Amino acid sequence: MKFLIVLVAVIYHYQSVDCLNAIDYLNEKLNDLSKEVVKAYNHVTVSIKNIFTRRNYEDEKEIEKYILEEKIKQSFNDFVEKSGSCTQHPDYLSFRSEPTALMSTPQLATLHGRRIESHIIKTKDNYLLTLHRVFNGSSIPDRTVILHHGLMGSSADWIMLGPTKSLPYILSDAGYDVWMCNARGNYYSRGHLLERVNSSRYWKFSFQEMGEYDLPAVINYVKKFKPIDEKINFIGHSMGTSALLVMLSTQPRYNEFLRMGILLAPLAFMSNAQGPIKMLTTMANRPPNSLLKVIGDTEYLPSRKMPKMMASKFCTGPKLFCGNPLLFLAGGIREDDSLEESFLARLLYHVPAGASTNTILHYGQLAQNGKFHRFGDSSAEFHLHNVRLPIVLVTSTEDWLATVPDVMRLYFNIVNPIDHYVIRGKNLTHTEFVWGADADVTVFSKVLELLVRGTNRKSLKENEV
């Protein structure tokens, strides 16, 4: 019917015009009409999908479109603006004016003169994750590295030390193609195809799901950019190591896709963990409502601040750091007058980057039961004998969470350990493996040496700093 109307209009309009012009005009109007029809159809389709809140986007472009339309992926600036304003310590106000404090990972990397890419991927259970790639155009075989941040962290953790001392840049300059993960729940990976981020269902995960779903999705995605037979190196810190061990235990085929694993401050067995994490051990399996009201029953401390009562009871370091949930649990950082204000600003506004309460409770369960097991079930231990990947374990004698005795136990439970490298007397706390003032010398130089030497045990130097 619309076609006839258009045709009549054209004939009337072109009564004194030749036939070719009329046909051109008719084609133009038909094209406009078809575009309007497609636009109307898409609008109706989206409306129907919104009614039933069910979406099934398959490719990355559709995922990106969904994130943009639904605005479920909260931007970095919105995150820090909202949560940073809740802090109790007045020094945050002065740090807020530091130019790099509110910069996201891509912005920081660009400031550092690096080429960085953002990739959005989907897991099998429909979580949306962001990968940040420090790209140098390298195609050298076996020089691909996946970095996975630690507890309550993000990809920003790896580049906080700036343009010369950060591990991704050191690796990139050495010819490595570096991919930085962002685990579900942090501010770069707050998306889901079916659930809203503020729903309780969204937050029902721990590091267990990161190993079962997130890491396989990351490896599968990165492999698309590589020759079929090329193997990938993995470097994990803290929670990133737990995710790797879960993946290799439950899906052993991924042992074949990786070249080697370097685990910094690995968390698996935690019988000897010290500090505030011990407070959770008696309540981790069945947390009382009173505890959940304090720490959150979905997202762990979404305000990004520790309650004053807990901070004053357990924290022995500077008050500025005691209120930070991650530094509170992990033992803080060195009280050093040489720390630059710009670094402190980046640290306090980027950390913590978000975590589920179940993740914290899961680690409390490990500390209580002395086993590496599934969430809520101490009898369901992960089968570490399935971990065949050559692995190096790196620990510090000053680490509250990944203690030397517990990591030694892990060493004897995996099939192919290369080395247990112990850093002694350097006052290296759990978080400083990534952003410690001397991490480039104490930790990263050893990491690069391990990558170059590979799985050759005889070539390793004495495992002590």
Side-chain angles (χ1 to χ4, degrees):
M1 184 65 182
K2 288 184 178 180
F3 175 79
L4 291 176
I5 295 173
V6 172
L7 183 60
V8 170
V10 169
I11 294 173
Y12 176 80
H13 183 73
Y14 282 96
Q15 289 180 13
S16 61
V17 183
D18 60 80
C19 184
L20 288 178
N21 286 339
I23 291 174
D24 290 341
Y25 183 80
L26 178 61
N27 284 333
E28 181 182 348
K29 290 301 179 182
L30 287 175
N31 286 335
D32 292 342
L33 176 62
S34 65
K35 290 178 182 178
E36 289 298 318
V37 171
V38 171
K39 184 178 179 180
Y41 173 79
N42 290 338
H43 178 74
V44 171
T45 301
V46 171
S47 298
I48 293 173
K49 288 180 178 179
N50 285 339
I51 291 173
F52 292 96
T53 63
R54 293 285 176 178
R55 302 164 176 85
N56 188 26
Y57 299 131
E58 295 298 332
D59 57 56
E60 286 114 33
K61 289 183 178 179
E62 288 299 318
I63 291 175
E64 290 175 352
K65 181 180 178 182
Y66 166 73
I67 295 173
L68 180 62
E69 291 177 346
E70 298 299 317
K71 296 181 180 179
I72 64 169
K73 180 177 178 292
Q74 198 172 23
S75 72
F76 172 80
N77 285 340
D78 287 344
F79 183 89
V80 294
E81 286 285 351
K82 177 182 177 182
S83 55
S85 63
C86 298
T87 185
Q88 301 166 335
H89 202 282
D91 283 355
Y92 269 89
L93 297 176
S94 61
F95 288 140
R96 196 183 195 84
S97 61
E98 207 290 322
T100 62
L102 304 183
M103 285 187 177
S104 64
T105 296
Q107 291 170 329
L108 281 172
T110 302
L111 180 68
H112 297 157
R114 301 289 173 160
R115 177 183 170 188
I116 191 166
E117 301 172 351
S118 296
H119 298 254
I120 299 174
I121 64 174
K122 180 176 77 71
T123 68
K124 282 189 175 180
D125 58 345
N126 293 312
Y127 282 78
L128 303 179
L129 315 176
T130 299
L131 285 173
H132 288 132
R133 183 189 192 187
V134 181
F135 186 70
N136 65 359
S138 173
S139 59
I140 304 174
D142 295 333
R143 289 209 175 181
T144 300
V145 177
I146 292 175
L147 299 178
H148 197 301
H149 61 79
L151 184 63
M152 298 187 230
S154 74
S155 56
D157 296 3
W158 298 105
I159 62 173
M160 250 187 264
L161 287 178
T164 59
K165 298 173 65 174
S166 298
L167 179 58
Y169 305 151
I170 293 172
L171 295 176
S172 181
D173 290 342
Y176 288 87
D177 182 15
V178 182
W179 296 75
M180 298 183 290
C181 298
N182 283 287
R184 61 180 65 193
N186 85 12
Y187 44 59
Y188 294 113
S189 295
R190 294 200 167 196
H192 197 282
L193 293 182
L194 304 177
E195 305 292 349
R196 298 196 176 276
V197 179
N198 58 3
S199 71
S200 60
R201 292 185 298 274
Y202 174 88
W203 292 100
K204 288 187 180 299
F205 64 82
S206 73
F207 63 78
Q208 178 178 311
E209 284 74 17
M210 297 172 197
E212 292 177 334
Y213 299 107
D214 292 8
L215 261 185
V218 169
I219 293 172
N220 292 341
Y221 184 81
V222 172
K223 281 179 63 64
K224 294 178 182 178
F225 295 81
K226 304 297 170 183
I228 192 170
D229 58 343
E230 180 175 335
K231 294 194 173 185
I232 298 169
N233 300 284
F234 179 90
I235 301 173
H237 172 240
S238 179
M239 184 181 71
T241 69
S242 308
L244 178 74
L245 295 172
V246 169
M247 180 186 72
L248 299 181
S249 298
T250 58
Q251 303 174 64
R253 67 183 182 278
Y254 282 94
N255 284 280
E256 309 305 322
F257 301 151
L258 301 177
R259 174 174 175 258
M260 68 181 300
I262 300 175
L263 309 191
L264 309 177
L267 297 180
F269 300 106
M270 297 182 65
S271 299
N272 295 286
Q274 306 170 36
I277 193 70
K278 300 295 287 185
M279 173 189 65
L280 293 174
T281 56
T282 58
M283 300 178 283
N285 283 307
R286 294 182 179 179
N289 289 332
S290 57
L291 175 64
L292 294 178
K293 286 181 180 179
V294 174
I295 66 175
D297 59 353
T298 53
E299 182 179 4
Y300 179 69
L301 292 172
S303 66
R304 299 180 75 216
K305 64 181 181 181
M306 289 301 305
K308 288 183 177 180
M309 179 187 68
M310 296 175 67
S312 61
K313 183 175 181 180
F314 292 97
C315 187
T316 58
K319 291 183 179 180
L320 177 63
F321 303 142
C322 288
N324 186 292
L326 175 59
L327 301 179
F328 171 77
L329 281 179
I333 61 176
R334 273 180 279 178
E335 189 171 9
D336 191 340
D337 293 336
S338 66
L339 290 175
E340 296 180 358
E341 184 172 306
S342 60
F343 167 76
L344 288 175
R346 290 193 297 275
L347 174 65
L348 294 173
Y349 272 97
H350 285 77
V351 176
S356 69
T357 297
N358 279 3
T359 299
I360 308 301
L361 293 176
H362 199 166
Y363 282 121
Q365 293 171 10
L366 302 188
Q368 178 186 27
N369 300 316
K371 302 176 182 179
F372 186 50
H373 61 80
R374 291 184 173 275
F375 180 79
D377 188 355
S378 61
S379 64
E381 295 185 65
F382 292 107
H383 300 302
L384 290 174
H385 60 268
N386 288 332
V387 181
R388 302 189 304 273
L389 179 70
I391 285 179
V392 176
L393 306 172
V394 184
T395 56
S396 165
T397 53
E398 309 302 317
D399 192 337
W400 279 7
L401 299 182
T403 64
V404 174
D406 286 334
V407 177
M408 281 298 297
R409 185 179 171 193
L410 174 61
Y411 179 91
F412 289 112
N413 272 273
I414 54 179
V415 175
N416 198 6
I418 300 176
D419 192 17
H420 179 198
Y421 186 75
V422 183
I423 300 172
R424 302 179 187 276
K426 296 294 181 178
N427 197 24
L428 195 73
T429 64
H430 188 72
T431 58
E432 289 180 302
F433 279 86
V434 174
W435 61 57
D438 303 319
D440 57 324
V441 176
T442 307
V443 182
F444 302 160
S445 60
K446 184 65 179 181
V447 167
L448 189 58
E449 176 193 335
L450 290 166
L451 287 173
V452 172
R453 296 180 183 275
T455 59
N456 183 2
R457 290 175 173 81
K458 293 182 180 180
S459 67
L460 295 174
K461 298 180 180 179
E462 184 181 2
N463 65 334
E464 183 174 325
V465 175

